[in-house]
Amino acid sequence: MKSNENSWVLITGASSGFGEEFARQYAAQGKSLVLVARRLSKLEALSAQLRERFGVDVIVEQVDLSSIPAIIELHERLSERNIVIDVLINNAGHGLQGPFLDQPLDESLTMIDLDIASLTALTRLFAADMRARKRGHILMVASLLSFQGVKNFAVYSAAKAYVLRFSDALHRELKNDGVVVTALCPGMSDTGFAESARQKITPVLKRVMMQPQPVVQAGIRALQAGRMSVVPGFGNKAITVLTWATPRRFHQNLMAQVMGV
């Protein structure tokens, strides 16, 4: 391992999708990485690839991020090793499509634990370290659905609305402390998330679906530029403008049709 004085990038949900792409792009920049997820085999395979291709330091942490004690233990382990997290990518998340009352309560609560509670805990712990050092970067992965409540995505869209507003507030709170907080709000992307969420892919969604590479690139660039938020893709930007410019009844009905619900 190289010097422990290096700054590190911590990426949650790093075993697939956006998380894996964040790892590849930061490794290409020569950044040392802490990869966090539940699937150890995938993390180890990815870390081996990144070490071989880019020659970077990679630490693998198998953590159930729905557990707050596990998050606290992760922070303690890294602190004991003098691993300085300069960039925190809050990417881990869970989603489900379907009527709220038809979903098991435990699945909805698990979604809240991961998408809200764990993100809040991670941010609190690592942002405090960043503030003490007067430098740091935090990227919150929200969603295009964070701009409105969407039928059959009630808990998910509400959870991502929390992520977006939480990020907006911290952007202002921590700016004078040298800490940048940016929200990334992607639309439909080819990450495998839709399959795990049992989401129906409509013809409209297929046409606007983005690949992970440009989405992650947009997020990294916005974070480095100190922006409050970014919505990748022209079509997705158009939807956000439509949301701001039209009554809720109109754009929520339109969004329900786009999402096939």
Side-chain angles (χ1 to χ4, degrees):
M1 184 178 294
K2 299 176 185 176
S3 170
N4 281 334
E5 294 180 357
N6 286 350
S7 62
W8 295 70
V9 179
L10 189 156
I11 304 168
T12 67
S15 60
S16 63
F18 289 140
E20 181 177 348
E21 183 61 29
F22 273 113
R24 294 188 187 282
Q25 292 196 27
Y26 273 115
Q29 294 181 17
K31 302 292 187 181
S32 301
L33 305 175
V34 179
L35 306 182
V36 182
R38 289 186 300 176
R39 293 180 289 184
L40 182 59
S41 60
K42 289 202 170 187
L43 286 180
E44 290 179 335
L46 176 61
S47 66
Q49 293 174 13
L50 298 178
R51 290 189 189 103
E52 181 178 357
R53 181 176 179 184
F54 300 106
V56 296
D57 291 331
V58 185
I59 293 174
V60 167
E61 286 281 353
Q62 183 183 27
V63 180
D64 179 3
L65 290 172
S66 64
S67 167
I68 300 302
I71 291 172
I72 295 172
E73 290 172 4
L74 168 66
H75 179 258
E76 291 175 346
R77 283 197 302 274
L78 296 177
S79 296
E80 289 169 359
R81 296 177 64 179
N82 295 318
I83 301 298
V84 176
I85 303 302
D86 183 60
V87 180
L88 170 62
I89 307 295
N90 272 321
N91 168 72
H94 177 58
L96 285 175
Q97 177 179 355
F100 172 62
L101 294 181
D102 292 346
Q103 296 174 357
L105 178 58
D106 61 344
E107 291 191 6
S108 293
L109 295 178
T110 296
M111 195 188 313
I112 292 171
D113 287 342
L114 183 57
D115 293 8
I116 296 179
S118 72
L119 175 141
T120 303
L122 281 160
T123 302
R124 175 64 177 81
L125 293 168
F126 289 101
D129 297 339
M130 293 175 183
R131 184 174 66 175
R133 296 192 303 269
K134 295 295 182 181
R135 62 179 174 85
H137 300 78
I138 302 172
L139 185 71
M140 311 283 199
V141 179
S143 168
L144 191 64
L145 300 190
S146 63
F147 291 99
Q148 54 182 280
V150 180
K151 179 184 176 183
N152 286 2
F153 289 89
V155 177
Y156 180 75
S157 59
K160 290 303 185 179
Y162 172 90
V163 173
L164 178 58
R165 299 312 173 198
F166 181 58
S167 181
D168 285 352
L170 292 186
H171 178 87
R172 293 180 172 85
E173 283 188 28
L174 299 177
K175 185 175 183 179
N176 291 335
D177 295 313
V179 180
V180 176
V181 181
T182 301
L184 171 63
C185 303
M188 177 58 61
S189 303
D190 187 13
T191 62
F193 179 85
E195 290 81 0
S196 63
R198 301 193 291 271
Q199 181 176 347
K200 177 182 177 182
I201 306 299
T202 67
V204 174
L205 289 178
K206 286 182 180 180
R207 287 197 294 271
V208 301
M209 183 178 290
M210 295 183 66
Q211 294 301 310
Q213 191 273 338
V215 174
V216 167
Q217 186 177 64
I220 292 175
R221 286 178 174 175
L223 185 63
Q224 292 173 340
R227 294 178 58 186
M228 180 181 295
S229 63
V230 60
V231 178
F234 177 79
N236 295 326
K237 287 181 172 64
I239 289 175
T240 61
V241 172
L242 184 69
T243 299
W244 293 326
T246 61
R248 281 187 295 175
R249 183 172 58 183
F250 174 80
H251 61 245
Q252 287 185 346
N253 181 61
L254 177 63
M255 198 64 176
Q257 295 181 42
V258 170
M259 300 300 292
V261 295

